[in-house]
Amino acid sequence: MSEKNEFSGCPATGIGSMPGGDAREAAKTVTGSFADGQGMPYLAELPARGPGADMIGRTVGLLVEMYGHLQPSGWRTSDRPGRDTRRARSWLGEDLDALEEFTQGYEGLLKVQAVGPCTLAAALELRGGEAMLADPGACRDLAGSLAEGLRAHLAEVRRRMPGAKVVLQLDEPSLTTVLLGRVRSASGYRTYRAVDRQIVEAALRDVLAAAGEHGTTLVHSCAPEVPYALLRRAGADGISLDFSLLTEREEEAIGEAVEGGTHLFLGVVPSTDAASGGLSDPGGSVMGVRTLWSRLGLDPGTLAESVTITPSCGLAGASPAYARTALAHSARAARSLADNPE
C-alpha cells in the first residue's frame, strides 16, 4: 500500500449531477450531506436547466480558444463563442457562486468535475458532423485546450475557496468504447477506429496534470470494463466506478490498484428512486465491498482508507428528496464500513 493517501478523510461523496435547477439548493444539499467530516462536497451540475448545464456543455464552456454550439445532433465546434458557450459559462458561474456561499471557512477536500478528453472527443462534433474522434490532430488540440481551461478553472475555485484542497474528477463514460472502437459514426452505420491505448493514456495524463504538481485527481466511469491499469499509468490518484458492473475477471486489476495505492470510489448506492428499492440498511449496501476485500485477500482494516462510498452515478435522474437520501445513505454506509470492516 502507498503510504500517502490523497483521499484521507473522504468516506463518501457524490458523482456530480443533481436534480432540479436551483444552484443554491444543490450546493446546500451537497455541503450539508458531507458536513463534519462525513465526506467530500463537490461542485454540483444541474443538467435539468438545459443546454450548457449538461456535462458536455459545461466542459465545452471551459475550453480555451475552442468553442461549441448546439445542433440537433449535439454539440459542435465553432470559430467563436456564441450564445450556447456563453450560457454554459453563466451556469458555471452561478454554481460557483452558490458553492462559495456554502463553503465559507471550509478546509477539507472539495471536488470539481469535467468531462475527460476521450468522452469529449466522442461527443463533440466537427463542422462536418462527424465526431472529433475521427481526427487525431483535432483530438490533440482538444486535450490541450481542455487542460488549459481546467488550469484556469481550478485556479478560480482555489481563489474562491482558499482553504479547500481541490480535487479534479474527469468523467469518462465513453473511455472503454473509444479504446475498443465501439463509438458509432454520425450515420450510425459504422464505428470509429479504436484509438491506440498509448495515445489515450497520454491525453489523460496531460489533462490530469492540469490539477498541478500537488493536485489530487480521479477518473469516473459508470460504464463496464474500466481500464484500471491505463488510468493508474495516466496518473489518476483514484478511480470511480459503478460497483454493480464489476466482474470477476476485473478483480485482479482491482487488487493491484489497491495494493499500488490507488483509491477506489465505489458506487454502491442506486442513483435513481426506481432502482433503490428503499435505502434502509447502510451495512447491507456495503456487504459486497466487504466480500470483495475478503476474496482479494486484502486486510479489512484498510477498507476505510482505501475506499470512498458513492452513488452508482450522477443523481440528475432522481427526485430531489431521493438525491438527499442517497447522499446521506452513502455517508452512513461509509461509516458502517469503517466501523465493521469484516
Side-chain angles (χ1 to χ4, degrees), residues 243 268 281-293 336-337:
F243 189 72
V268 301
D281 179 15
S285 294
V286 290
M287 188 179 302
V289 180
R290 295 188 183 98
T291 302
L292 172 64
W293 235 245
S336 172
L337 197 63

Side-chain angles (χ1 to χ4, degrees), residues 5-318:
N5 187 341
E6 303 286 353
F7 295 102
S8 177
C10 178
T13 191
I15 300 302
S17 67
M18 295 287 285
D22 187 328
R24 290 187 76 256
E25 184 61 30
K28 181 180 179 182
T29 297
V30 167
T31 54
S33 298
F34 301 121
D36 302 320
Q38 295 186 81
M40 177 168 57
Y42 54 95
L43 180 63
E45 301 161 354
L46 301 173
R49 291 181 301 197
D54 59 295
M55 58 186 271
I56 299 297
R58 164 160 288 185
T59 304
V60 167
L62 292 172
L63 298 176
V64 173
E65 296 184 359
M66 190 175 287
Y67 312 103
H69 68 280
L70 274 172
Q71 292 287 310
S73 54
W75 285 88
R76 185 171 294 183
T77 55
S78 302
D79 290 325
R80 58 185 65 84
R83 177 185 60 188
D84 297 323
T85 300
R86 289 193 295 269
R87 182 167 47 204
R89 292 173 177 173
S90 176
W91 289 134
L92 176 58
E94 183 178 310
D95 294 337
L96 283 169
D97 289 343
L99 185 63
E100 183 179 5
E101 177 183 348
F102 287 98
T103 53
Q104 294 296 311
Y106 178 71
E107 295 185 343
L109 295 170
L110 178 72
K111 180 164 68 71
V112 299
Q113 306 83 217
V115 176
C118 296
T119 297
L120 195 59
L124 189 57
E125 298 175 355
L126 296 164
R127 289 177 182 82
E130 292 294 341
M132 192 170 277
L133 197 63
D135 185 335
C139 288
R140 287 192 297 272
D141 292 343
L142 179 65
S145 174
L146 177 58
E148 189 173 347
L150 282 171
R151 278 190 285 272
H153 177 47
L154 294 171
E156 171 71 1
V157 175
R158 290 172 180 135
R159 183 188 68 77
R160 287 172 174 258
M161 283 72 89
K165 182 177 181 181
V166 181
V167 174
L168 171 63
Q169 172 183 307
L170 294 183
D171 292 317
E172 281 285 13
S174 299
L175 176 57
T176 301
T177 58
V178 167
L179 288 168
L180 297 178
R182 296 176 181 168
V183 178
R184 293 209 163 272
S185 65
S187 67
Y189 294 121
R190 62 183 179 84
T191 56
Y192 296 108
R193 182 179 303 172
V195 180
D196 184 271
R197 298 179 80 88
Q198 290 184 326
I199 293 173
V200 168
E201 183 182 324
L204 282 166
R205 183 181 298 110
D206 289 347
V207 176
L208 288 168
E213 183 180 353
H214 302 293
T216 304
T217 61
L218 70 143
V219 177
H220 165 71
S221 174
C222 51
E225 303 176 80
V226 175
Y228 300 96
L230 184 153
L231 295 178
R232 292 172 57 209
R233 291 194 304 269
D237 299 307
I239 299 174
S240 171
L241 62 139
D242 180 343
F243 189 72
S244 70
L245 299 178
L246 187 62
T247 63
E248 190 173 331
R249 68 175 179 273
E250 295 173 280
E251 290 184 2
E252 183 178 350
I254 286 281
E256 290 175 355
V258 173
E259 291 290 351
T262 301
H263 195 88
L264 298 180
F265 290 73
L266 300 181
V268 301
V269 179
S271 58
T272 61
D273 313 44
S276 69
L279 297 177
S280 58
D281 179 15
S285 294
V286 290
M287 188 179 302
V289 180
R290 295 188 183 98
T291 302
L292 172 64
W293 235 245
S294 175
R295 271 202 309 272
L296 293 174
L298 296 170
D299 179 3
T302 65
L303 265 171
E305 66 186 61
S306 301
V307 168
T308 293
I309 298 300
T310 74
S312 58
C313 203
L315 295 167

